[in-house]
Amino acid sequence: MQFIKPDINIDFVGKRKIAFSISLAMILISIASLVIHGGPKYGIDFAGGTLVQIKFNEPVSISKIKSGLAAVDLGKSSVQGFGEHSEHEYLIRTDRSVMTSGGFSQKVQKALESSTGKGVTVRRVEMVGPQVGKDLREKALFAMFYSLLFIAIYISGRFELKWLLSGVIAGVLMGAVYFLSILSVSVPYLIAAALLVSLALFWFLNLKYAMGAIVALIHDVTITVGIFSICNKEFTLPIIAALLTIIGYSLNDTIIVFDRIRENLRKYHKNPLEIVINRSVNETLSRTILTSGTTLIVVVALFVLGGGIIHDFAFALLVGIVVGTYSSIYVASPILLAWNVRGKK
């Protein structure tokens, strides 16, 4: 199915400098937001603490809820509305890990009914210890880092037949990161340094397809994380699942474009690389828009109708799909052209 003419010739490559400027601006804004906020806003999963979701039969004021919580000894707590306003649901968060056994839910319920005079139901209670939260943060970072390295192996092997070289690079980097993490080196800084070293090695060892794919994926994740920081949304385990999904989705788009570039390099080997890349992007444009469009329809429905529990998960997918489609066209492919310019120099 094609709703775009097969002979369409939009000058994507000619606009690459504008696209690079937009991407750079979005990345810098994302990093600035993370710096200003002191890093991502971690949820209970990663920061540790206790979360209680409650539902009232009638509207109540947050001040009355807080006065009732003082009797339960939850420490410093924050209360915010959850879901639709008409549902009268609230989330109570505290950075203190409270033992939730021994009738904890009943204590919270009685204290809130006493302070508000309204009927209340405790919908869920979650508790994560600080050490568990730290371990989950590190494992989430390792999951994304290892996924990027395995993707680099796959891309190098498929498009450049450099399975062994890319495998050795990935193995050395994984081993170095693992052993340095055992020595109590800060995992976020360690993985950031490892990614920079990876990109430098891809550059010097001429792994151009892997370089393009990884830069595009880092671009997508950074901007998605930055938008979450700008919107002051929490990072939880479902958000990490969404980021890994975004990596896979964006990679699929990138591989489709790379595949067509490789085919057209054989068919039109006398043409300049800029023309070949632009032709390849145009030829896959219909498929890209169809895939992204149908996926977006589902994610928008999930975002609007899915409820508060998966709202942030759907929002992450929504941002990631848009940014991932953009990066496959304007980031991954033009890097091959930049590589060609480097080779001529």
Side-chain angles (χ1 to χ4, degrees):
M1 177 181 177
Q2 283 193 334
F3 63 92
I4 296 177
K5 294 180 180 180
D7 58 345
I8 191 171
N9 186 27
I10 301 173
D11 188 15
F12 291 109
V13 175
K15 304 294 190 297
R16 66 186 183 278
K17 291 183 179 178
I18 297 174
F20 283 160
S21 300
I22 293 172
S23 294
L24 182 60
M26 288 192 294
I27 288 172
L28 290 177
I29 292 171
S30 299
I31 293 173
S33 176
L34 289 168
V35 171
I36 291 170
H37 289 98
K41 181 182 178 182
Y42 293 118
I44 296 295
D45 295 341
F46 297 134
T50 306
L51 179 144
V52 183
Q53 180 182 341
I54 56 175
K55 177 179 175 61
F56 287 91
N57 300 327
E58 304 173 49
V60 295
S61 66
I62 290 179
S63 59
K64 289 185 177 180
I65 296 175
K66 288 185 175 180
S67 64
L69 293 175
V72 189
D73 192 24
L74 282 178
K76 187 178 180 180
S77 304
S78 65
V79 181
Q80 68 179 75
F82 182 75
E84 297 294 330
H85 184 69
S86 59
E87 294 177 352
H88 316 307
E89 292 196 44
Y90 299 87
L91 284 182
I92 302 166
R93 290 184 176 87
T94 175
D95 56 4
R96 179 178 171 186
S97 299
V98 179
M99 294 301 296
T100 56
S101 59
F104 174 78
S105 298
Q106 288 77 11
K107 291 178 183 177
V108 172
Q109 183 175 351
K110 288 179 181 179
L112 292 176
E113 287 177 348
S114 175
S115 65
T116 62
K118 310 288 184 182
V120 60
T121 303
V122 178
R123 305 292 295 270
R124 62 177 167 132
V125 178
E126 297 177 7
M127 189 278 286
V128 178
Q131 185 58 44
V132 173
K134 180 183 177 183
D135 291 342
L136 287 174
R137 284 201 308 269
E138 293 180 354
K139 287 178 180 178
L141 288 172
F142 280 128
M144 286 191 286
F145 174 66
Y146 290 151
S147 65
L148 290 176
L149 287 186
F150 282 120
I151 285 168
I153 296 173
Y154 172 73
I155 295 292
S156 298
R158 174 168 175 174
F159 292 100
E160 299 167 299
L161 300 178
K162 295 180 180 179
W163 292 100
L164 182 60
L165 179 60
S166 57
V168 169
I169 293 173
V172 170
L173 286 169
M174 287 179 189
V177 167
Y178 175 74
F179 286 114
L180 287 173
S181 65
I182 293 176
L183 299 175
S184 298
V185 178
S186 175
V187 172
Y189 293 114
L190 178 59
I191 289 181
L195 284 175
L196 291 175
V197 171
S198 303
L199 293 176
L201 289 173
F202 294 155
W203 181 264
F204 287 112
L205 296 174
N206 203 33
L207 300 174
K208 54 183 179 293
Y209 284 97
M211 178 83 168
I214 297 303
V215 169
L217 296 178
I218 294 174
H219 166 277
D220 300 343
V221 172
T222 302
I223 292 176
T224 305
V225 170
I227 290 176
F228 255 69
S229 177
I230 292 168
C231 297
N232 202 31
K233 290 183 175 292
E234 290 187 344
F235 279 83
T236 57
L237 284 175
I239 304 307
I240 298 301
L243 291 177
L244 292 172
T245 304
I246 290 165
I247 288 173
Y249 181 88
S250 178
L251 178 66
N252 178 63
D253 263 356
T254 302
I255 286 176
I256 291 170
V257 178
F258 279 0
D259 231 2
R260 188 57 59 90
I261 290 172
R262 183 177 59 174
E263 291 174 9
N264 286 340
L265 281 173
R266 295 169 184 164
K267 291 168 61 178
Y268 310 106
H269 58 274
K270 293 183 180 180
N271 289 348
L273 181 60
E274 182 174 349
I275 294 176
V276 173
I277 291 176
N278 207 63
R279 184 188 187 102
S280 303
V281 173
N282 278 279
E283 287 177 353
T284 57
L285 186 61
S286 180
R287 180 175 177 177
T288 298
I289 292 177
L290 276 172
T291 304
S292 300
T294 51
T295 309
L296 271 176
I297 291 172
V298 176
V299 174
V300 168
L302 195 65
F303 178 74
V304 175
L305 305 172
I309 295 293
I310 59 173
H311 185 270
D312 288 350
F313 174 81
F315 178 74
L317 289 179
L318 195 64
V319 173
I321 289 170
V322 173
V323 176
T325 304
Y326 163 86
S327 70
S328 298
I329 297 173
Y330 283 113
V331 178
S333 302
I335 283 178
L336 300 180
L337 185 60
W339 209 287
N340 188 55
V341 173
R342 169 218 180 198
K344 288 180 179 179
K345 289 182 179 179

